[in-house]
Amino acid sequence: MKRGRLENKVAIVTGGAGGIGTAVARAFSREGAKVMLADVADQAGQEVARSCGPDTRYSHLNVADENEWLEVVAETERHFGPVGILVNNAGIVRHGPLEIHREDDFRQVIEVNQIGVFLGMKSVVASMKRAGSGSIINLSSVAGLIGAANAIGYTASKFAVRGMTKVAAIELAPANIRVNSVHPGVTRTPLTDLSPEDRPVLERMLAETPAGRWAEPEEIANIILMLASDESSFATGAEFVVDGGMTCR
Ligand code: NAD
């Protein structure tokens, strides 16, 4: 029988209840990983986990809460063994021009997208050391490479993810832990299912995408799968752009 690309690996995928996270959980379980799917959307998360099969479990996790992180990592170790893969995928967006952008919205986005990634990386290091190796994949965005108008908090958080990835890659390389960031362009998920007044932001991004279309979540998950597997064994601290050419102009 053909071995899966993630056979014997244990993974935590945050934000796995929808969009890109669900596509990642499906790809990982197909390739033989044991997956802990973590999200705040409990019902949807449990359904996705059930549909992936017996080696996928669901756990509640608000990525902005350090105690919840410690519990999820401990639970994952109890059920599956030490963690070898972490996909920091959970994320939110709030739109609005700078002049009227609400401070609350800005802070909320930083809490989830930036603090959440920091806490996730920090919480899995000890477990990855016990596993003997690790791969952390942080979801940034094209908004971590160039400014996204009407999304200043989101852009700030995604630039931060890109920077934190490099710090962690340097610090964790001696422990055989790789850390990379992924930068999707506009992808068809609930996150981009916007209200009519916010849609022009995305239409503009689409017009600037040479590929002339949005990505499907599976196209982002395939890159994440490659980074999670040993196929990318010399890749660390790097930016993997999956944007249909949007940022190459
Ligand atoms: P999505 O909204 O479809 O899914 C995000 C998931 O994160 C949801 O299941 C949600 O419940 C969960 N979540 C939200 N807050 C959370 C929290 N505090 N703790 C735990 N889980 C939480 O989004 P998506 O489009 O699949 O995006 C996934 C990642 O990819 C995000 O980091 C996003 O910024 C990034 N991204 C998306 C696009 C895109 O066009 N869709 C483009 C670039 C980057």
Side-chain angles (χ1 to χ4, degrees):
M1 204 174 82
K2 193 170 163 269
R3 280 171 59 81
R5 292 159 72 189
L6 300 182
E7 211 73 50
N8 299 323
K9 302 227 188 238
V10 174
I12 296 176
V13 179
T14 71
I20 294 169
T22 295
V24 170
R26 292 201 200 292
F28 280 14
S29 73
R30 189 188 69 224
E31 295 297 338
K34 295 179 171 29
V35 182
M36 182 63 83
L37 201 145
D39 205 298
V40 285
D42 295 333
Q43 201 185 334
Q46 277 155 1
E47 278 162 25
V48 173
R50 257 196 303 276
S51 73
C52 286
D55 281 339
T56 302
R57 297 179 68 91
Y58 174 80
S59 189
H60 177 89
L61 169 70
N62 172 7
V63 293
D65 185 319
E66 186 161 21
N67 289 329
E68 291 190 13
W69 264 112
L70 296 176
E71 277 170 31
V72 166
V73 173
E75 191 188 339
T76 308
E77 278 218 32
R78 232 179 5 257
H79 285 290
F80 294 141
V83 179
I85 301 165
L86 168 64
V87 184
N88 275 317
N89 166 77
I92 58 172
V93 65
R94 299 284 180 267
H95 293 283
L98 168 62
E99 238 184 316
I100 56 163
H101 204 84
R102 287 162 36 93
E103 183 185 341
D104 264 7
D105 284 344
F106 190 99
R107 286 187 189 278
Q108 239 183 339
V109 169
I110 297 294
E111 277 277 311
V112 176
N113 297 7
Q114 180 173 335
I115 311 280
V117 168
F118 158 65
L119 292 176
M121 293 197 292
K122 182 181 169 194
S123 306
V124 293
V125 171
S127 188
M128 286 187 170
K129 285 183 173 169
R130 283 191 284 278
S133 68
S135 174
I136 299 175
I137 298 111
N138 294 328
L139 268 289
S140 178
S141 166
V142 288
L145 300 168
I146 57 173
N150 293 305
I152 192 161
Y154 187 77
T155 303
S157 72
K158 295 302 186 180
F159 266 75
V161 168
R162 179 174 159 217
M164 291 192 296
T165 297
K166 295 188 195 309
V167 174
I170 297 164
E171 288 188 14
L172 299 178
N176 202 20
I177 299 170
R178 299 182 293 109
V179 192
N180 291 287
S181 56
V182 171
H183 301 259
V186 183
T187 308
R188 199 182 308 280
T189 72
L191 187 101
T192 49
D193 191 11
L194 298 183
S195 60
E197 67 267 24
D198 289 330
R199 275 194 76 82
V201 178
L202 296 182
E203 297 303 337
R204 261 201 312 278
M205 288 173 80
L206 182 60
E208 289 164 4
T209 302
R213 65 172 178 87
W214 292 15
E216 298 300 329
E218 292 72 22
E219 295 178 284
I220 313 302
N222 285 338
I223 301 291
I224 296 170
L225 172 61
M226 186 267 293
L227 290 171
S229 80
D230 296 335
E231 294 154 22
S232 55
S233 50
F234 203 53
T236 195
E239 295 150 20
F240 289 81
V241 182
V242 201
D243 68 350
M246 189 193 148
T247 53
C248 73
R249 286 183 195 281

